[in-house]
Amino acid sequence: MRGGLLLFEVPRDYNNRWFWLVQDDRLTFGDVTHPDNRKNNIYTKVGYQYGTQFDERMNAIVGETRGRIVPVLTAFRELGPQKTGLAIAITESAKVATGDYHYTKAEGEALRRFDVTGTSFLVSRLHAGLFVNRGTVENPAPGTPQIALYTIPQYEMFKLGGREALKAVADRANTEGTHEVHLTNEYFVPVFRNRDFHTWALHWNTLYGIGYLGAGSTGFEYSSLVHSNNMVVDAGLGTEASIAIRDFDVLLSVVYARTVHAPDNMKGSKVRFSIRTVR
């Protein structure tokens, strides 16, 4: 992918920000049969963000979606004192100049931290998205999968699986759609906090045990979101540790999740992890 963008941020105060994005994506794939090969996506986006300005997922909704860290879990230190975050955006793509796509995309996500005890807490994230307007491909080839029938690049489709959605669901084409909703819950229980356990070159400062529960659905029509056969529920266990290594602070997140209820093509389990460093 190559192209260019202009991203404008208008902060109203510490917690409220507006965004305007204008972007041109020129797509080329090594797989010349890819439906988006040698296509051009010209679009604009208007977004609003409340709360933390350090959450990678919410920044992606209101701004540029790529070129960022994709965490597995919601780091508690990113939520800020208000404990609530919200991001909403409307994207409009048009067949102007060299543009090949036409769609209107609406997306939003809310997060909230709930203090359960003095040291344990629950982080809930609710994400929803749909294409309000979408063009269709003219004269599609026989057997073309449904995901390729619309004038929407596949990277803009909503993903039900992956690091930022349901942890047990694989991130592939048959788990994506034009309509999607999911809820994830991460319950953090401290094993120890603000300590200095020394193991070789590692200084373990904080360790949390984590219980995870998620649910959601995706499809290509509004009705598919509420159909019980499309519903996915997954659950898992994980941990998040804060470690010091010389001059670096390392945040290690690991979670194992398995589907509890899902269509046959989405059943399975995954181990996901992320490592973030700060100097």
Side-chain angles (χ1 to χ4, degrees), residues 160-161 166 168-170 172 174-176 216-219 230-232 259 261-269:
L160 186 61
L166 302 187
V169 179
R172 53 177 182 255
N174 64 355
T175 63
E176 299 175 358
S217 62
T218 187
N230 294 331
M231 182 64 65
V232 178
T259 53
H261 172 79
D264 291 339
N265 65 336
M266 297 189 189
K267 289 182 178 179
S269 61

Side-chain angles (χ1 to χ4, degrees), residues 1-21:
M1 179 180 294
R2 60 196 186 279
L5 65 87
L6 289 172
L7 176 61
F8 300 89
E9 178 182 351
V10 183
R12 304 299 297 174
D13 52 42
Y14 183 79
N15 287 322
N16 294 273
R17 294 165 293 281
W18 289 90
F19 294 83
W20 178 41
L21 172 74

Side-chain angles (χ1 to χ4, degrees), residues 96-113:
V96 297
T98 58
D100 294 298
Y101 301 100
H102 173 56
Y103 60 86
T104 304
K105 177 182 179 181
E107 183 177 13
E109 180 159 317
L111 69 83
R112 174 69 180 175
R113 166 176 165 162

Side-chain angles (χ1 to χ4, degrees), residues 1-196:
M1 179 180 294
R2 60 196 186 279
L5 65 87
L6 289 172
L7 176 61
F8 300 89
E9 178 182 351
V10 183
R12 304 299 297 174
D13 52 42
Y14 183 79
N15 287 322
N16 294 273
R17 294 165 293 281
W18 289 90
F19 294 83
W20 178 41
L21 172 74
V22 179
Q23 187 157 337
D24 180 4
D25 292 339
R26 297 178 179 268
L27 311 174
T28 305
F29 293 83
D31 178 8
V32 296
T33 64
H34 194 286
D36 295 324
N37 187 45
R38 302 184 68 83
K39 297 286 186 68
N40 195 24
N41 189 19
I42 300 174
Y43 58 96
T44 185
K45 179 191 294 187
V46 176
Y48 167 74
Q49 186 181 49
Y50 169 79
T52 176
Q53 57 185 310
F54 303 110
D55 184 83
E56 297 284 354
R57 174 58 179 161
M58 291 196 166
N59 291 345
I61 290 175
V62 297
E64 162 59 26
T65 60
R66 296 169 294 269
R68 61 191 175 89
I69 298 171
V70 183
V72 171
L73 299 167
T74 303
F76 68 93
R77 60 185 57 81
E78 294 183 340
L79 299 188
Q82 71 281 346
K83 301 181 183 179
T84 300
L86 173 68
I88 54 176
I90 297 289
T91 302
E92 179 69 30
S93 177
K95 292 184 177 181
V96 297
T98 58
D100 294 298
Y101 301 100
H102 173 56
Y103 60 86
T104 304
K105 177 182 179 181
E107 183 177 13
E109 180 159 317
L111 69 83
R112 174 69 180 175
R113 166 176 165 162
F114 302 92
D115 292 323
V116 180
T117 68
T119 56
S120 65
F121 56 91
L122 175 72
V123 177
S124 295
R125 304 181 73 115
L126 175 64
H127 177 273
L130 60 93
F131 284 85
V132 181
N133 180 38
R134 57 189 180 183
T136 56
V137 175
E138 297 181 0
N139 303 316
T144 300
Q146 188 169 4
I147 196 173
L149 293 178
Y150 306 103
T151 57
I152 304 170
Q154 289 192 9
Y155 70 83
E156 283 280 72
M157 293 291 182
F158 295 111
K159 305 177 187 300
L160 186 61
R163 289 169 173 259
E164 296 178 325
L166 302 187
K167 314 301 184 192
V169 179
D171 181 5
R172 53 177 182 255
N174 64 355
T175 63
E176 299 175 358
T178 57
H179 298 62
E180 185 269 349
V181 62
H182 72 263
L183 172 68
T184 61
N185 299 280
E186 304 161 8
Y187 183 44
F188 290 73
V189 178
V191 179
F192 57 82
R193 299 189 307 161
N194 303 320
R195 304 295 293 274
D196 185 14

Side-chain angles (χ1 to χ4, degrees), residues 228-239:
S228 61
N229 291 338
N230 294 331
M231 182 64 65
V232 178
V233 178
D234 66 345
L237 296 173
T239 186

Side-chain angles (χ1 to χ4, degrees), residues 169-274:
V169 179
D171 181 5
R172 53 177 182 255
N174 64 355
T175 63
E176 299 175 358
T178 57
H179 298 62
E180 185 269 349
V181 62
H182 72 263
L183 172 68
T184 61
N185 299 280
E186 304 161 8
Y187 183 44
F188 290 73
V189 178
V191 179
F192 57 82
R193 299 189 307 161
N194 303 320
R195 304 295 293 274
D196 185 14
F197 293 115
H198 190 195
T199 306
W200 295 295
L202 308 180
H203 293 264
W204 297 77
N205 301 325
T206 300
L207 180 67
Y208 279 90
I210 298 167
Y212 161 79
L213 179 65
S217 62
T218 187
F220 297 93
E221 303 295 338
Y222 294 103
S223 59
S224 60
L225 298 182
V226 296
H227 200 291
S228 61
N229 291 338
N230 294 331
M231 182 64 65
V232 178
V233 178
D234 66 345
L237 296 173
T239 186
E240 188 165 80
S242 176
I243 309 166
I245 305 175
R246 294 187 177 180
D247 296 331
F248 294 90
D249 292 326
V250 179
L251 186 67
L252 172 64
S253 304
V254 182
V255 63
Y256 168 79
R258 185 176 183 84
T259 53
V260 178
H261 172 79
D264 291 339
N265 65 336
M266 297 189 189
K267 289 182 178 179
S269 61
K270 291 287 182 182
V271 175
R272 302 188 184 274
F273 72 92
S274 65

